[in-house]
Amino acid sequence: MSTIVLLTVTGLGLAALYFLVASGLSLVFGLADVLNFAHGLFLSVGAYATWWAADFMPVEAAVLVGVAAGVVTAVLVELVLIRPLYRRTIEQVLVTVGLSLAGVALLQSVFGADPRPFPRPGWAQGVVPVLGARIPADRFLLIGAAVLVFGALTAFLRYTRYGLIVRAGVENREMVTALGIDVRKAFTLVFAIGGAAAALAGSLAGIYFTTVSPGTGGSLLIFAFIVVVIGGMGSVPGSAVAAILVALLQQFVNYYGGSGAGDVCVVALLAVVLLWRPKGLARA
Amino acid sequence: MRRWWPLGLAVLLALLPYGQAFNAPGTLNLLALCLVFAGLAAGYDLLFGRTGLLSFGHALYFAIGAYLTVILMNHGFALPVAALLAMVAGTAVAALLGAVALRVDGIAFSMVTLAFAQVGAIIVARDPGGLTGGEEGATIAQGMPDALVGVVNTVNLYWLALAYLVVVLVVLHRVGRSPAGRVLSAIRDDARRVGVLGLSPYRYKLMSFVLAGALAALGGTVYVLVVGGAAPHLSSSDLTLTLLVMVVLGGPGSRFGPALGGALFTFLDYQLTDYATDLPGPLAQPMFVLGVVFILAVYFFPGGLARIGVTLPGWLRRPARQEA
């Protein structure tokens, strides 16, 4: 019993990471049709900024610095690199691919290729007993952060004017443009939100995995892609459901079926979902 | 006259080892590697440049060809049998996974191919039954034909790599000129219209995917012969991204651009690794330099090297026009 509780909570912690990465990717893709390979870079930038800032301030404040760095990077990337290629989808993907290759190399040259130990707040290092299982406290930190972000994103999309524009743009961008609204401003906004969520995920991934390395972003990104496709592109609730599904499946099968088996199962799940519902869970 | 220059170039490349400057084993090995990646990039372009399919999982078929060849040879199969079986396996996997992945279009297809290839990378890293060697990779321990062993015979590996490139280019040329090849270009330009005309884009895309997979598997075999073994990075998504960079730098959809891009990129990657360690900061990372060059190429030289004769004069003329 305690093993199942531990696996479930740990799986939900992983789901939180996937959701934070995938929600931004999903919105960026849904609105701007950009498959953003550089999203993993935003994550790494956030993680390294937190790691750097933690020397001067408490970790909690350093995470904010990381998130700010992620936002700045994402907005710069959108304004300087993505926007000039407006509507040339393939070129935009290519630029983000080049950026992900060059960005990882840049991080490597600045911080070295080896994993660095990540600073963790003291209260996240303890264990919390739940139903007989001893669960590391950082799992709850991850889950709590993801729930907050989910709530904030849902509220933003549902109750604000810009949220309305983003939702409408995901459904039909031409129509929004035809109504005289500059969708490109919404692109920048969505990139900023995605960059913030990814950078937060980077800091939390550092706490979860206890180290940070230039490759962290890339390895999380592949599963985030899977979550986005399973959940349905452009849907935040879809990403949330798919993240939980993917992470729990991965945790349980990896534990009971040997390491690596869970990763393969996740891809099998992707194949099944595609055959059954090619547009993802959220879009019938 | 114009029609025969590719043949002349092939003959020139075949005679290259007789030149003094190129006859060192190290140089020949690097050139052979360049030719293998030229062939791989050209094969990848069948998907990207000619059919308009952005696959992020091409490394999988390359890795299948490479690893199966090593594994089968180490289990006592003769090289030709191992190569054939590896190619059949690569083709079969491409047919199976392509049939699923092509159910979705555009970017979703890219993500799904990426996910499928990730399984390959996981399996390689997990080292099932001690076959792939995990992080260490697998080396060919037995079964190398005498003609391919030893420093003296590096030239034969070079010719083998050249033969692979020629095979890929001839196959692509034949496909490109066939009716099916024209359907592929039509799918790239407007898949819906092809559907309206009564042809099934799905079947043609699958054909392109399977053929590209088979060529990549064959390339994997040639690669392990040249290098002597397979390493886990062959199955990584980064390898596919590198192929994409090669194709875009060379010129997607053009006849020789992707091959040129592949050869040049591989050459630069190796040379930069050798020389760049003295350079300051990020310049010491070949991937940083090549990634930046790639981004600049996407902006300023669309069409890559194959169209540089058109794009470069345009850029040179532009400032002059502004002054006037």
Side-chain angles (χ1 to χ4, degrees), chain A residues 35 81 94 222 259 275, chain B residues 103 111 114 118 126 294 299:
Chain A
L35 172 63
L81 293 172
L94 294 179
I222 289 178
S259 83
L275 289 172
Chain B
R103 284 179 57 88
M111 295 196 196
L114 178 73
Q118 190 60 18
R126 284 262 294 138
F294 173 69
Y299 282 103

Side-chain angles (χ1 to χ4, degrees), chain A residues 257-279:
Chain A
S259 83
D263 304 7
V264 176
C265 267
V266 166
V267 177
L269 174 72
L270 172 72
V272 171
V273 169
L274 278 180
L275 289 172
W276 167 56
R277 213 174 225 196
K279 295 247 174 217

Side-chain angles (χ1 to χ4, degrees), chain A residues 20-48:
Chain A
L20 288 175
V21 183
S23 55
L25 265 180
S26 185
L27 276 182
V28 165
F29 184 80
L31 185 68
D33 280 341
V34 180
L35 172 63
N36 186 12
F37 260 85
H39 210 73
L41 182 67
F42 303 162
L43 188 150
S44 302
V45 165
Y48 274 105

Side-chain angles (χ1 to χ4, degrees), chain A residues 29 35 37 81 85 94-95 98-99 101-102 105-106 108-109 222 225-226 229 233 259 263 267 270 274-275 278, chain B residues 48 54 56 103-104 107-108 111-112 114-116 118-119 122 126 244-245 248 282 285 287-288 294-295 298-299:
Chain A
F29 184 80
L35 172 63
F37 260 85
L81 293 172
L85 297 172
L94 294 179
V95 164
L99 200 61
L101 293 174
L106 185 65
Q108 241 176 53
S109 75
I222 289 178
F225 279 156
I226 296 176
V229 177
M233 297 193 231
S259 83
D263 304 7
V267 177
L270 172 72
L274 278 180
L275 289 172
Chain B
F48 178 65
L54 183 53
F56 282 118
R103 284 179 57 88
V104 285
I107 299 298
M111 295 196 196
V112 174
L114 178 73
F116 284 156
Q118 190 60 18
V119 174
I122 292 165
R126 284 262 294 138
L244 182 62
V245 171
V248 171
Q285 301 275 348
M287 259 315 164
F288 178 76
F294 173 69
I295 293 175
V298 171
Y299 282 103

Side-chain angles (χ1 to χ4, degrees), chain A residues 5 24 158 255 271:
Chain A
V5 173
R158 188 164 296 171
Y255 183 80

Side-chain angles (χ1 to χ4, degrees), chain B residues 186-208:
Chain B
I187 289 172
R188 177 193 59 202
D189 297 336
D190 193 342
R192 199 181 298 166
R193 195 161 170 196
V194 173
V196 172
L197 288 172
L199 296 164
S200 156
Y202 178 82
R203 283 167 64 182
Y204 283 92
K205 283 194 225 168
L206 187 58
M207 186 203 83
S208 167

Side-chain angles (χ1 to χ4, degrees), chain A residues 197-224:
Chain A
L200 181 62
S203 302
L204 294 175
I207 293 171
Y208 183 82
F209 297 119
T210 70
T211 57
V212 57
S213 71
T216 311
S219 51
L220 273 172
L221 190 64
I222 289 178
F223 285 102

